[in-house]
Every structure is written in C-alpha cells, then in structure tokens.
C-alpha cells in the first residue's frame, strides 16, 4: 500500500526538495528500503551499518515512535503517515 | 500573595483579569526564578516574553558577543550593541521593558563544573542552546537537581519543543529517552554556520515562553511526553508522543549515569549534505 512519508528539511536534498513522498511498503523496514531505492542516500542517513534505525533519528508512524511499536517490523496500513524526526540542536544560533 | 503597586496592577492587568492567572498567578510569576541557556535566536523571544510577563528573576547564560549576523533573528539585541556581551545586551533590553525583573548574567559557557550549582537557584530551566553537548549536560543536570526543563531547538525551517520533568511525571521522559547520546560527528546538523529562517526562532521560542508561563502557573497541559514539531515550509505544527525509555541510562531503573558527562562538540558535515 502507499504510505505518505514526511521528509524533514535536512533530508530534502535527497528528495529534490519534496517535503512528502509516497512510498509503497508493508512495514517500516520495507519502507526504508524502498525510500532508499527512490532516493539514494536515505538509508545511510536513517540506519547504521547493521541496518538498525540510528538512535538520533526517530521514525514515527502517525504520532507513535516505532521504537515503542515493533521497530522496523512495524506493520503499516493504508492512510498511515510516517514522519522522520532527526535530532536538531540549534537555538542560540 | 504579593502586594501589587498601582503600576503593577496596570502593567499586569491583562493577566490578572484572566481567571486562570489572577492576582495569585501573577504573584507566582513575580516570585518565579527562571534560568535560560542561550541569549540568541530562541533566547531572545523567551527572555522578552518572560520579562513582559513579570517573571521576577531571569538568569541568562551565554558566552558570546552580539554579531551583526545575529540581528536577523536575535531581536533582544540591536545595532548599537554589536560587540557587546549577549547577556549584557539582553539584560539592558529586559530592564528597559520591565523594571520588575531582576536579571542575573552568566557570561560564560555552562559546563560540568558549574551547571548544577547554577540551576539549583532556579525553579525552571529553559534550553535554547546551539549544540548537543550542552543539551545533554543540561538534561542530566536538571534530572539530578529535579528541575523542569523546557527544551527548544531549530534548524533551517524546522523547530522542536518539549518539556522534560521525569522527577515529577513518572511516565515523563528525559532528553536521553529521546536520544540516548549525542550523534557522532558529522551526522546531524549542529553547526552555527547552518542557515535559519529568522522568524522561525520567534515561533519556537514563543512556544517555549508559553510553556514556561503555564508551568509556573500550573495550568493546562504540559508538553511532558510530547514533542511539538514545527515545519515552517509546510506551515504545520505536529504533536508526537515521547515515551520514557525503560532502559534510559539516566532516568530509568537501569540508570548507569550518575555524574555529568562532557561530550565533544560535533560540528562537521551536516546531516542533509
Ligand atoms: Zn530518560
């Protein structure tokens, strides 16, 4: 099924500036792989060498962090929205 | 409750007539002590709104001087104060706005040797710093000193705001529940060279001020356990759930961090390059 994925500004270089992309996927792991296939470089930003989601990047399905669901095995259903929320530090700048 | 002067009754009248604030709430604000890290993009609106609200004591830490390139967003400073310590400039602006406020300045970097002692004097801590090491340091120190921390961050067109108070809210996470440790060098944006939409700082910092005032008054819902994100290009706010990490090295039963940790500044290739 088609899932809407929200892309944070730091990653929009990889999506030609798109703030949202549509990806076919049954679960979060497949979504990351298909995201990589459509927008090369994405997986490296989101996952470490072992393929686990990096700890300073949080992936949400709707308003819930996938770490508190089933991680990359989290099943996606029609209408779900996935958001990628990287750690950001700026403030005084 | 404080005996207000006539000037104070007039100054705070729009607060006092709110049933949720009233004279009692305004007294709480005047008696409150808030410590802010950073007198920059976020610190500017935070300090100005807290001062206008009559927060009685505001402590501000920042080691930098005002630079011309700051003025695009750091609205507490001005053209004539380029080269002046930011904390000094902020103090002048606050005193001009509201003479009720006592401003304490800390014109140096917050580090592992000074942070706990400084925040101990305050009721509430607001983080608007520009780097990960300070964010972790402040989070850990606030947990150790049982202080509520209102955290805000921004990058280019994105903003994030949340409140950490695991000492009060058993289900409440800390910053390490969200991110266990700083990202390795080069993997996420943290450089001050990165661009930033000026008014974004106002949007994010103002939400932090609203949260701070509510926290002092004890009204409404807290952002503890929620991450508010703002995407200025889409013009969209979202509220995501933040959960306590049952394995958090700081605030869980499996605690392993008992002393403050000093991390190196990560500031190389931004995340999106
Ligand atoms: Zn924690």
């Amino acid at each position: 099924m088609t899932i809407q994925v929200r892309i944070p500004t730091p990653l929009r270089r990889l999506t030609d500036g798109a703030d949202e992309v549509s990806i076919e996927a049954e679960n979060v792991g497949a979504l990351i792989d298909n995201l990589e296939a459509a927008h090369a470089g994405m997986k490296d930003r989101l996952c470490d060498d072992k393929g686990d989601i990096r700890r300073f990047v949080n992936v949400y399905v709707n308003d819930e962090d996938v770490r508190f669901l089933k991680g990359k095995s989290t099943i996606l259903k029609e209408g779900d929205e996935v958001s990628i929320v990287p750690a950001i530090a700026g403030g005084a700048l | 409750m404080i005996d207000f002067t006539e000037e104070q009754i007039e100054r705070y009248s729009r607060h006092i007539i709110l049933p949720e604030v009233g004279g009692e709430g305004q007294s709480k604000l005047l008696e409150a002590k808030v410590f802010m890290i950073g007198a920059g993009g976020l610190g500017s609106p935070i300090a100005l709104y807290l001062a206008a609200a009559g927060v009685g004591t505001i402590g501000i830490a920042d080691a930098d001087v005002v630079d011309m390139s700051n003025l695009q967003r750091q609205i507490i400073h001005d053209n004539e104060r380029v080269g002046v310590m930011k904390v000094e400039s902020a103090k002048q602006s606050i005193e001009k706005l509201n003479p009720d406020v006592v401003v304490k300045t800390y014109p140096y970097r917050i580090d592992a040797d000074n942070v706990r002692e400084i925040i101990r004097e305050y009721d509430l801590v607001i983080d608007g710093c520009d780097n990960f090491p300070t964010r972790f340091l402040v989070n850990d120190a606030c947990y150790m000193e049982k202080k509520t921390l209102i955290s805000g961050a921004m990058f280019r067109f994105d903003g994030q705001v949340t409140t950490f108070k695991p000492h009060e809210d058993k289900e409440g996470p800390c910053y390490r529940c969200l991110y266990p440790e700083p990202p390795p060098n080069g993997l996420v944006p943290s450089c001050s060279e990165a661009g930033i939409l000026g008014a974004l700082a106002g949007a994010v910092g103002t939400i932090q001020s609203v949260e701070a005032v509510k926290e002092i008054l004890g009204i409404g819902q807290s952002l503890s356990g929620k991450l508010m994100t703002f995407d200025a290009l889409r013009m969209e706010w979202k509220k995501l759930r933040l959960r306590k990490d049952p394995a958090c090295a700081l605030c869980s039963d499996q605690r392993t961090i008992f002393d403050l940790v000093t991390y190196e500044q990560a500031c190389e290739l931004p995340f999106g390059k």
Side-chain angles (χ1 to χ4, degrees):
Chain A
M1 69 210 64
T2 310
I3 303 296
Q4 293 304 115
V5 185
R6 300 290 304 278
I7 308 297
T9 39
L11 291 182
R12 287 183 198 163
R13 281 161 187 268
L14 301 177
T15 59
D16 289 326
D19 56 7
E20 192 171 79
V21 296
S22 299
I23 297 290
E24 291 289 327
E26 303 299 318
N27 63 43
V28 171
L31 181 123
I32 293 172
D33 288 337
N34 295 344
L35 203 52
E36 170 67 22
H39 308 283
M42 204 60 102
K43 190 166 185 176
D44 188 43
R45 302 283 189 262
L46 304 180
C47 299
D48 61 20
D49 298 341
K50 287 183 290 176
D52 296 327
I53 297 171
R54 294 181 185 278
R55 285 309 314 267
F56 50 87
V57 179
N58 289 335
V59 176
Y60 285 81
V61 175
N62 303 318
D63 72 342
E64 190 69 79
D65 188 335
V66 299
R67 281 196 285 145
F68 296 101
L69 297 168
K70 295 210 167 69
K72 288 173 71 179
S73 311
T74 304
I75 302 291
L76 298 169
K77 57 179 195 314
E78 199 68 48
D80 279 345
E81 186 180 77
V82 170
S83 306
I84 298 166
V85 182
I88 55 176
L93 52 96
Chain B
M1 199 166 88
I2 289 174
D3 276 332
F4 295 111
T5 62
E6 258 175 59
E7 189 188 304
Q8 285 178 321
I9 290 171
E10 198 179 349
R11 177 184 291 273
Y12 306 118
S13 60
R14 298 302 191 279
H15 266 167
I16 294 170
I17 58 171
L18 285 171
E20 292 81 357
V21 184
E24 208 174 312
Q26 190 58 52
S27 292
K28 284 186 192 167
L29 290 167
L30 285 162
E31 284 163 355
K33 296 179 172 181
V34 175
F35 181 62
M36 300 175 33
I37 296 118
L42 296 177
S44 289
I46 295 169
L48 289 171
Y49 271 114
L50 294 186
V55 168
T57 305
I58 300 177
I60 311 176
D62 201 309
D64 289 339
V65 296
V66 179
D67 183 84
M68 186 60 82
S69 69
N70 299 150
L71 300 178
Q72 165 253 20
R73 65 206 172 281
Q74 301 184 10
I75 57 172
I76 203 165
H77 311 302
D78 65 38
N79 233 13
E80 285 166 23
R81 306 214 193 110
V82 170
V84 174
M85 288 303 300
K86 285 188 181 176
V87 290
E88 192 47 48
S89 165
K91 183 182 161 91
Q92 287 175 25
S93 298
I94 292 170
E95 286 172 347
K96 236 186 203 172
L97 175 60
N98 187 350
D100 284 347
V101 182
V102 175
V103 183
K104 290 185 162 184
T105 56
Y106 303 82
Y108 44 81
R109 264 193 105 78
I110 292 301
D111 61 28
D113 295 327
N114 60 32
V115 64
R116 288 187 67 173
E117 201 178 327
I118 294 171
I119 66 173
R120 210 167 283 158
E121 286 182 47
Y122 293 88
D123 307 316
L124 185 65
V125 179
I126 307 184
D127 193 354
C129 78
D130 60 0
N131 65 85
F132 285 107
T134 306
R135 287 183 186 274
F136 281 88
L137 184 74
V138 170
N139 174 69
D140 295 0
C142 284
Y143 182 72
M144 291 170 190
E145 295 295 332
K146 298 185 165 52
K147 302 291 179 186
T148 296
L149 170 62
I150 298 170
S151 178
M154 55 184 182
F155 180 71
R156 293 187 187 165
F157 296 94
D158 288 353
Q160 297 178 355
V161 184
T162 186
T163 295
F164 300 114
K165 47 174 170 181
H167 58 281
E168 263 183 38
D169 176 2
K170 281 282 161 244
E171 304 289 302
C174 77
Y175 190 62
R176 284 185 190 272
C177 294
L178 179 57
Y179 306 114
E181 53 187 37
N185 279 4
L187 280 172
V188 285
S190 70
C191 302
S192 47
E193 292 80 41
I196 181 90
L197 188 75
L200 173 67
V204 176
T206 303
I207 293 291
Q208 286 180 279
S209 317
V210 172
E211 182 73 353
V213 168
K214 284 172 58 195
E215 194 63 47
I216 294 164
L217 296 172
I219 59 169
Q221 285 181 25
S222 162
L223 278 177
S224 174
K226 292 170 197 105
L227 177 69
M228 243 180 121
T229 63
F230 181 54
D231 179 335
L233 288 178
R234 285 181 73 103
M235 215 48 162
E236 189 172 75
W237 289 94
K238 271 192 171 195
K239 228 153 89 176
L240 302 168
R241 291 194 69 159
L242 282 190
R243 291 182 188 268
K244 195 178 189 78
D245 181 352
C248 179
L250 182 71
C251 76
S252 77
D253 297 341
Q254 297 177 46
R255 182 174 183 184
T256 53
I257 296 171
F258 292 92
D259 295 309
L260 294 173
V261 189
T262 302
Y263 294 105
E264 291 301 311
Q265 168 82 51
C267 187
E268 278 156 25
L269 288 171
F271 185 64
K273 271 196 180 158

